[in-house]
Amino acid sequence: MKKILAVLLMSVMVMSLASCGKSSSGTAQAGVLVMATNAEFPPYEYHEGGDIVGIDAEIAAAIAEKMGCTLEIEDIAFDSIIAEVDSSKADMGMAGMTVTEDRKQSVDFSVTYAVARQVVIVKEGGDIASIDDLAGRKIGVQQGTTGDIYASDDYGDDNVERYSKGMEAVQALAQGKIDAVIIDNEPAKVFVSENEGLIILDEAYADEEYAIAVRKGNTELLNAINEALDELKKDGTIDEIVDRYISAN
Ligand code: ARG
């Protein structure tokens, strides 16, 4: 009897956790939605006066609100996010994370909420004028990102310098320690504006899409996130958030 009760109690707890505050009996309980991110990626997530702000942080807050739960943001290394979600230490990973076939083996992705591009940052007036000039050069990336994966696959490990933050790679480029950086277009714009003498090549390295990662098989949470994202797309909330962080030009 005791055992049955305990199992019952456990499953009620698990269910209310999974849907974050909405237990199957309908009694709303304050739940917490834990988002794992890497807040070194403006304008999607970055630190500002002790807070983590940005497009992802605001979209996540809107999703949490729709689900009736409080958002908690955990700032960790980018290449730890998938493991954090996989081990249920975080409910979702949201970090300007590109959907890739490889990552799909480890996590489930929501519907996409942004399109993005990998771009190449180089020294203004330097000798790299196009992607064709990258062979044999030192390329800086943020560790574990798609930029890292492309650079390693296309030019070999020996030509790739991995940094824990994208900004560190860009600073190394500004200081002449490396020859180029492959990184997402919006952070690239921010980092280039903060460092003298750098430009972004016109030609994109790759086109990508961002989505939210949840533990494989966590359909209940995935459905709740997808539903919230669809509503936030339809009612213009996502556009409004993006417009506040990214200027139209
Ligand atoms: N879009 C790239 C990827 O998924 C880079 C994301 C980096 N995000 C971050 N918050 N540092 O690999």
Side-chain angles (χ1 to χ4, degrees):
M1 185 58 186
K2 253 190 191 158
K3 207 172 179 182
I4 295 177
L5 250 179
V7 169
L8 256 174
L9 209 73
M10 274 288 286
S11 54
V12 168
M13 276 167 58
V14 167
M15 264 159 40
S16 58
L17 274 180
S19 57
C20 186
K22 282 179 232 147
S23 77
S24 58
S25 61
T27 34
Q29 261 187 345
V32 179
L33 182 69
V34 180
M35 158 181 166
T37 196
N38 169 250
E40 303 294 341
F41 199 67
Y44 290 95
E45 46 265 329
Y46 55 102
H47 291 270
E48 196 177 80
D51 289 326
I52 292 172
V53 298
I55 294 171
D56 287 347
E58 292 208 24
I59 295 176
I63 292 172
E65 197 188 331
K66 284 209 180 283
M67 288 170 58
C69 48
T70 21
L71 178 70
E72 194 179 295
I73 301 182
E74 208 180 64
D75 183 20
I76 60 175
F78 181 76
D79 61 353
S80 302
I81 295 174
I82 288 189
E84 196 80 351
V85 169
D86 185 41
S87 63
S88 296
K89 286 191 196 131
D91 299 303
M92 64 178 194
M94 189 176 191
M97 189 181 284
T98 304
V99 179
T100 71
E101 284 311 314
D102 220 42
R103 290 173 181 166
K104 277 190 199 166
Q105 309 292 313
S106 321
V107 286
D108 285 341
F109 280 106
S110 70
V111 295
T112 60
Y113 65 89
V115 290
R117 223 173 317 140
Q118 292 297 308
V119 295
V120 183
I121 308 175
V122 295
K123 280 233 166 176
E124 188 170 20
D127 56 0
I128 300 178
S130 82
I131 289 174
D132 293 337
D133 301 328
L134 285 177
R137 311 305 294 265
K138 274 269 181 260
I139 301 167
V141 295
Q142 183 183 19
Q143 167 128 344
T145 59
T146 47
D148 183 359
I149 297 161
Y150 295 134
S152 310
D153 284 355
D154 296 349
Y155 307 104
D157 271 346
D158 288 352
N159 291 311
V160 180
E161 283 304 328
R162 301 186 176 85
Y163 299 85
S164 63
K165 304 174 182 183
M167 181 63 159
E168 289 170 357
V170 176
Q171 280 164 347
L173 172 64
Q175 291 160 8
K177 292 180 184 157
I178 54 175
D179 301 306
V181 171
I182 300 182
I183 194 165
D184 304 52
N185 57 324
E186 292 302 334
K189 284 195 231 162
V190 175
F191 295 151
V192 163
S193 75
E194 289 170 353
N195 288 273
E196 291 277 299
L198 302 180
I199 53 155
I200 300 171
L201 297 182
D202 287 336
E203 190 185 356
Y205 203 89
D207 293 309
E208 308 189 320
E209 287 187 313
Y210 295 162
I212 298 173
V214 302
R215 183 170 45 76
K216 242 190 171 337
N218 193 354
T219 344
E220 195 181 347
L221 179 60
L222 189 66
N223 290 343
I225 289 174
N226 279 340
E227 218 174 278
L229 274 176
D230 281 338
E231 285 172 26
L232 295 167
K233 281 182 189 175
K234 279 201 195 100
D235 72 8
T237 305
I238 292 190
D239 285 341
E240 181 270 323
I241 293 170
V242 170
D243 287 349
R244 261 190 295 113
Y245 282 93
I246 300 176
S247 54
N249 49 61

